[in-house]
């Protein structure tokens, strides 16, 4: 006879798919007419930009553009120049899950890029980048909170979890018209432009979510007057509101921002000089909002009247312990090897890979960064050099359990340097860290109980009470089940408060 069960629905994030898709880049680039001939190739940059993420019935699809930037010295004036071209891509992986409301998270990392100069106006480019895709959804789990049946004894477990209120993905645009400050020469050629998003605050309110932070925009450009590039850094603050039905001030949110697209367009002023740039940034926000909830569930059962058949399953629950948005400064000495540094024309850094773990009350992030440098050497002229450096930084975060799991993203906010010798630079790198600390709560629960009426537990030859010598740490549930008793009666008869025997002792166990 199947027993009647009562339950409670809770929601948790579930990863349905996680994998990588490699995209090859094999193309040629011919300089447009307005670009001078190539005298010396300095650097070929590859920047994948994602424009759409789609979950189809049979595949996960990511589309975008691979932006190739050729940084070179022209053959006449020996000035630094740049030519850019966007190449569309479409990455697809098989997917056969029928779950609804699936969100696709995706980011891209460059594996390598090689560039060969065929002639002064044409280049062959070969490279690859990897797109990491994660399909997630909010999965409903049914926790069995009570079971009714003849003579049933239930073992209850409880805990505090983060119940998923909403899981969504949305986008917004940032646009800014930036004027060059007085004293800055007008723009001739934009060599490099980058944007990094640094969150400062994420606050749920009634039916809405507000996200505050800064987009740090960096641009390096050449002028007609000077061979040394000019640098521009500009902070674009944002305060974005999202409609989030069902959330309120008691909720907690985990938000990840991704810069999908950056467009920079030089504009002329009234004198016809390029002294303004229009900056357009496309941002994708992956949002998960939680409400902390105390829950309980039936983890085991037996009957004092019949043998029982129990079906068990494992349910994965989680709790969002803390989110931290922080900026840390990382310092590093860098040896440029056989390159003597007269001056630095440009220097930028990018995170190649990172991983995180939790120890001693901190989320520790380690990884590798690429330090890219365009240096003026007194004997070699302008040269390009690239070095990989390891980094480690930490964010203090309070843990809320034993099985904690940090999820951390790191980006370079700024990269400063000091020339400390002919072949030595002292770097000071600001890293933006977004770290979310989760606790995994494994819940093994009963999902159904059936009384076997053909196997009753006979009262014949059963003593009214037994003496049982319990070892320290032995659980009362196991003793009660063995002797067809109950945890409550063992506690009362033996003056025990907890769920286990603290020290070895003789117990009276009544049926």
């Amino acid at each position: 006879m199947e027993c009647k069960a009562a339950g409670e629905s809770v929601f948790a994030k579930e990863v349905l798919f996680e994998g990588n898709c490699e995209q090859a880049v094999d193309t040629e680039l011919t300089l447009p007419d307005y670009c001078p001939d190539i005298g010396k190739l300095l650097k070929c940059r590859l920047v994948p930009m994602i424009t759409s993420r789609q979950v189809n019935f049979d595949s996960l699809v990511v589309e975008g553009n691979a932006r190739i930037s050729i940084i070179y010295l022209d053959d006449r004036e020996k000035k630094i120049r740049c030519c850019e071209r966007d190449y569309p891509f479409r990455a697809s992986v098989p997917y056969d899950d029928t779950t609804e409301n699936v969100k696709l998270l995706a980011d891209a990392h460059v594996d390598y890029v090689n560039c060969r100069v065929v002639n002064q106006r044409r280049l062959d480019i070969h490279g690859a980048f990897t797109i990491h895709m994660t399909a997630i959804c909010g999965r409903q789990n049914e926790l069995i909170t009570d079971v009714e049946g003849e003579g049933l004894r239930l073992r209850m477990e409880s805990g505090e979890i983060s119940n998923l209120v909403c899981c969504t993905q949305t986008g917004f645009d940032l646009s800014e018209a930036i004027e060059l400050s007085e004293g800055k020469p007008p723009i001739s050629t934009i060599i490099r432009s980058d944007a990094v998003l640094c969150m400062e605050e994420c606050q749920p309110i009634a039916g809405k979510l507000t996200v505050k932070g800064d987009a740090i925009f960096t641009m390096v450009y050449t002028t007609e007057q000077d061979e040394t590039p000019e640098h521009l850094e500009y902070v674009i603050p944002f305060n974005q509101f999202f409609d989030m039905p069902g959330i309120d001030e008691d909720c907690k949110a985990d938000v990840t921002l991704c810069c999908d697209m950056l467009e920079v367009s030089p504009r002329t002023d009234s004198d016809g000089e390029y002294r303004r740039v229009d900056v357009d940034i496309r941002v994708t926000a992956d949002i998960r909002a939680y409400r902390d909830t105390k829950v309980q569930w039936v983890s085991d059962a037996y009957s004092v009247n019949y043998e029982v058949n129990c079906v068990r399953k494992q349910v994965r629950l989680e709790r969002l312990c803390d989110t931290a948005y922080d900026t840390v400064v990382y310092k590093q000495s860098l040896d440029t090897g056989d390159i003597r540094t007269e001056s630095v024309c440009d220097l930028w850094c990018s995170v190649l890979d990172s991983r995180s773990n939790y120890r001693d009350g901190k989320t520790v992030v380690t990884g590798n960064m690429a330090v890219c440098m365009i240096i003026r050497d007194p004997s070699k002229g302008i040269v390009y050099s690239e070095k990989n450096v390891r980094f480690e930084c930490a964010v203090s975060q309070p843990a809320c359990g034993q099985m904690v799991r940090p999820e951390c993203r790191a980006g370079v906010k700024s990269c400063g340097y000091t020339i400390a010798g002919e072949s030595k630079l002292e770097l000071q790198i600001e890293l933006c860290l977004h770290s979310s600390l989760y606790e995994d709560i494994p819940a093994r629960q009963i999902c159904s109980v059936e009384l076997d009426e053909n196997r009753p537990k006979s009262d014949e030859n059963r003593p009214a009470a037994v003496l049982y010598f319990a070892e320290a740490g032995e659980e009362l549930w196991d003793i009660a089940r063995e002797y067809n008793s109950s945890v409550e009666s063992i506690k009362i008869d033996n003056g025990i408060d907890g769920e286990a025997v603290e020290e070895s002792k003789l117990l009276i166990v009544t049926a």
Side-chain angles (χ1 to χ4, degrees):
M1 178 178 62
E2 188 167 352
C3 301
K4 183 179 179 182
E8 176 184 356
S9 294
V10 297
F11 292 82
K13 178 193 70 178
E14 182 171 341
V15 176
L16 303 176
F17 173 86
E18 187 169 14
N20 294 323
C21 181
E22 185 177 283
Q23 288 293 110
V25 178
D26 294 297
T27 187
E28 66 176 33
L29 186 149
T30 301
L31 298 184
D33 294 340
Y34 57 81
C35 288
D37 290 349
I38 298 172
K40 179 182 178 180
L41 179 66
L42 294 177
K43 172 64 176 174
C44 177
R45 293 185 73 197
L46 174 62
V47 181
M49 298 180 295
I50 296 172
T51 57
S52 71
R53 303 163 175 84
Q54 303 171 23
V55 180
N56 298 331
F57 71 94
D58 61 349
S59 62
L60 303 174
V61 179
V62 174
E63 296 180 331
N65 292 303
R67 176 165 296 172
I68 295 174
S69 302
I70 304 298
I71 304 175
Y72 66 97
L73 294 180
D74 66 45
D75 65 337
R76 293 185 180 180
E77 301 179 18
K78 307 303 180 185
K79 285 187 177 181
I80 302 175
R81 308 287 183 175
C82 182
C83 175
E84 290 187 342
R85 187 76 56 79
D86 286 354
Y87 295 88
F89 69 84
R90 186 178 190 272
S92 176
V93 296
Y95 177 76
D96 58 1
D97 198 300
T98 58
T99 304
E100 296 181 351
N101 299 320
V102 177
K103 311 302 176 187
L104 177 58
L105 313 183
D107 52 33
H109 300 278
V110 177
D111 299 321
Y112 71 94
V113 59
N114 296 321
C115 184
R116 183 177 66 90
V117 178
V118 178
N119 57 46
Q120 288 185 307
R121 303 203 62 80
R122 189 165 69 87
L123 305 100
D124 281 345
I125 299 161
H126 304 281
F129 58 93
T130 298
I131 299 175
H132 182 72
M133 301 186 193
T134 306
I136 67 171
C137 72
R139 177 75 76 181
Q140 178 177 339
N141 294 309
E142 191 74 16
L143 291 181
I144 302 302
T145 58
D146 192 22
V147 183
E148 295 180 1
E150 188 175 343
L152 273 184
R153 302 288 186 263
L154 304 178
R155 184 173 192 175
M156 306 299 298
E157 302 284 347
S158 63
E160 186 172 286
I161 68 167
S162 292
N163 195 17
L164 186 66
V165 179
C166 68
C167 176
T168 188
Q169 187 178 80
T170 186
F172 62 95
D173 296 314
L174 299 174
S175 297
E176 192 81 7
I178 302 174
E179 300 279 351
L180 297 184
S181 60
E182 289 191 18
K184 283 277 191 182
I187 301 167
S188 173
T189 303
I190 296 177
I191 303 301
R192 178 178 64 85
S193 59
D194 292 296
V196 61
L197 302 169
C198 295
M199 285 183 57
E200 295 178 355
E201 183 182 342
C202 176
Q203 183 63 47
I205 52 179
K208 293 184 180 297
L209 180 72
T210 177
V211 175
K212 296 181 181 180
D214 294 321
I216 313 299
F217 170 71
T218 305
M219 184 179 75
V220 180
Y221 67 95
T222 59
T223 69
E224 294 295 340
Q225 294 80 16
D226 197 349
E227 293 181 356
T228 302
E230 293 284 337
H231 291 71
L232 170 69
E233 184 175 294
Y234 194 88
V235 178
I236 305 173
F238 58 85
N239 185 4
Q240 194 71 27
F241 287 85
F242 303 101
D243 289 326
M244 295 285 131
I247 73 170
D248 53 36
E249 292 82 353
D250 295 329
C251 292
K252 297 186 294 188
D254 185 6
V255 179
T256 301
L257 301 182
C258 182
C259 180
D260 284 342
M261 182 271 291
L262 171 64
E263 296 290 346
V264 182
S265 304
R267 302 296 184 209
T268 57
D269 60 8
S270 58
D271 296 329
E273 294 183 321
Y274 287 99
R275 301 193 55 82
R276 194 186 84 172
V277 288
D278 291 345
V279 179
D280 296 294
I281 303 172
R282 179 64 179 173
V283 181
T284 295
D286 295 306
I287 303 171
R288 297 188 293 273
Y290 299 88
R291 178 176 285 107
D292 285 344
T293 307
K294 291 184 178 179
V295 294
Q296 65 175 5
W297 61 92
V298 180
S299 62
D300 201 1
Y302 67 91
S303 170
V304 296
N305 296 332
Y306 298 97
E307 297 292 340
V308 299
N309 296 317
C310 296
V311 177
R312 298 173 173 84
K313 70 174 181 179
Q314 191 78 19
V315 179
R316 181 184 173 276
L317 306 173
E318 65 181 5
R319 181 183 173 194
L320 176 57
C321 304
D322 183 67
T323 54
Y325 308 101
D326 203 358
T327 300
V328 298
V329 177
Y330 179 75
K331 297 182 178 181
Q332 172 78 39
S333 295
L334 187 67
D335 189 345
T336 58
D338 60 352
I339 299 175
R340 296 167 59 200
T341 306
E342 179 182 300
S343 63
V344 177
C345 299
D346 190 16
L347 186 148
W348 68 94
C349 304
S350 59
V351 176
L352 298 175
D353 58 73
S354 65
R355 61 200 62 84
S356 56
N357 61 80
Y358 189 79
R359 62 174 184 262
D360 300 328
K362 295 180 179 180
T363 295
V364 180
V365 185
T366 58
N368 294 284
M369 277 188 296
V371 181
C372 306
M373 301 163 284
I374 299 177
I375 296 174
R376 188 183 300 277
D377 184 292
S379 59
K380 300 177 181 178
I382 296 177
V383 296
Y384 174 81
S385 179
E386 185 172 320
K387 302 286 185 180
N388 286 357
V389 299
R390 287 191 58 79
F391 71 91
E392 180 175 311
C393 52
V395 179
S396 296
Q397 289 189 286
C400 54
Q402 297 297 319
M403 300 178 63
V404 292
R405 168 176 47 87
E407 296 181 1
C408 191
R409 293 172 64 95
V412 178
K413 181 179 181 181
S414 66
C415 185
Y417 63 89
T418 302
I419 299 175
E422 283 191 345
S423 301
K424 187 176 181 181
L425 298 176
E426 294 293 338
L427 303 179
Q428 183 168 296
I429 304 168
E430 279 190 288
L431 290 168
C432 284
L433 296 181
H434 167 203
S435 179
S436 301
L437 190 64
Y438 288 86
E439 177 193 9
D440 288 325
I441 304 172
R444 184 166 175 80
Q445 72 157 356
I446 295 291
C447 55
S448 68
V449 179
E450 183 178 350
L451 298 179
D452 191 344
E453 295 177 306
N454 296 322
R455 299 168 61 198
K457 292 183 176 179
S458 175
D459 290 330
E460 296 179 5
N461 302 319
R462 181 189 299 175
V466 297
L467 295 177
Y468 177 77
F469 187 81
E471 299 289 345
E474 197 167 349
E475 294 190 357
L476 301 185
W477 173 265
D478 296 330
I479 299 171
R481 183 170 189 162
E482 176 69 23
Y483 291 99
N484 223 38
S485 181
S486 69
V487 172
E488 290 72 19
S489 64
I490 296 177
K491 286 183 177 181
I492 294 172
D493 293 340
N494 297 275
I496 299 174
D497 294 327
E499 301 299 320
V501 180
E502 293 185 357
E503 57 183 19
S504 300
K505 62 185 299 184
L506 192 65
L507 301 180
I508 300 174
V509 183
T510 57

